[in-house]
Amino acid sequence: MNIAITLPHRFVQAIIDGEKTIEMRKSYPKHCYAGEDGFFVIEKGTDNIICWCRVNTFFVIDTSLDCLVELQYDNWGSKICVSRKEFFDYCKKSSEIYLWFIDKVKIFSKPLHKEDLIIDKNPQSYCYTPLSYGESF
């Protein structure tokens, strides 16, 4: 099942430019199946859905192991498009951090709107949407 997330403009642009290939979150949607499903990206402060990204893999980081957190940033920080400080500050907020690896991006030539996904408001974390990319668009 696909989901919707809200991202600031800088991350939306990084996805469009192909620089951001990993999304970092404190959780992952258990009913979103890697390799099949993905997420619609709503630009923060707007109702515009800019793109859809398929998730290839979910990867968990145990943030209680400082050496692993350092290694994970060295491996993937540039693909998450955050600074070292942003990464470590985010990791301090949760015992586990999930990396969502993106393997396909569909940029919409004309933005969709959140109503197209049958959702009422921009999600704080994420929300499931009853529509899937393949069936709807």
Side-chain angles (χ1 to χ4, degrees):
M1 179 174 269
N2 286 293
I3 60 168
I5 66 170
T6 305
L7 289 176
H9 175 76
R10 76 177 184 139
F11 291 139
V12 173
Q13 192 60 51
I15 289 172
I16 290 169
D17 294 342
E19 298 167 3
K20 182 173 177 62
T21 58
I22 302 172
E23 176 60 15
M24 178 173 65
R25 295 280 165 146
K26 293 177 193 153
S27 63
Y28 77 100
K30 292 171 181 52
H31 300 292
C32 181
Y33 300 103
E36 297 175 27
D37 299 326
F39 56 92
F40 292 94
V41 178
I42 303 170
E43 187 171 355
K44 186 175 183 176
T46 74
D47 291 340
N48 297 332
I49 301 166
I50 306 301
C51 60
W52 175 85
C53 304
R54 184 173 62 197
V55 177
N56 183 39
T57 305
F58 293 106
F59 181 82
V60 64
I61 299 172
D62 180 348
T63 60
S64 67
L65 303 171
D66 289 339
C67 62
L68 285 181
V69 172
E70 183 79 29
L71 179 63
Q72 302 310 337
Y73 181 80
D74 291 343
N75 287 338
W76 296 311
S78 65
K79 294 176 183 176
I80 301 170
C81 293
V82 295
S83 69
R84 183 174 293 277
K85 181 180 181 340
E86 289 172 309
F87 184 82
F88 284 95
D89 288 349
Y90 194 82
C91 285
K92 289 177 187 175
K93 297 176 183 177
S94 183
S95 61
E96 294 179 330
I97 297 296
Y98 293 87
L99 303 181
W100 305 4
F101 287 76
I102 300 167
D103 74 343
K104 179 180 182 181
V105 176
K106 169 64 177 165
I107 301 165
F108 301 121
S109 57
K110 180 182 172 196
L112 303 172
H113 299 282
K114 67 181 177 193
E115 296 81 19
D116 295 325
L117 297 180
I118 313 173
I119 57 174
D120 296 332
K121 60 183 180 174
N122 292 2
Q124 174 106 18
S125 176
Y126 64 84
C127 69
Y128 290 98
T129 175
L131 301 178
S132 71
Y133 174 71
E135 295 170 0
S136 324
F137 304 103

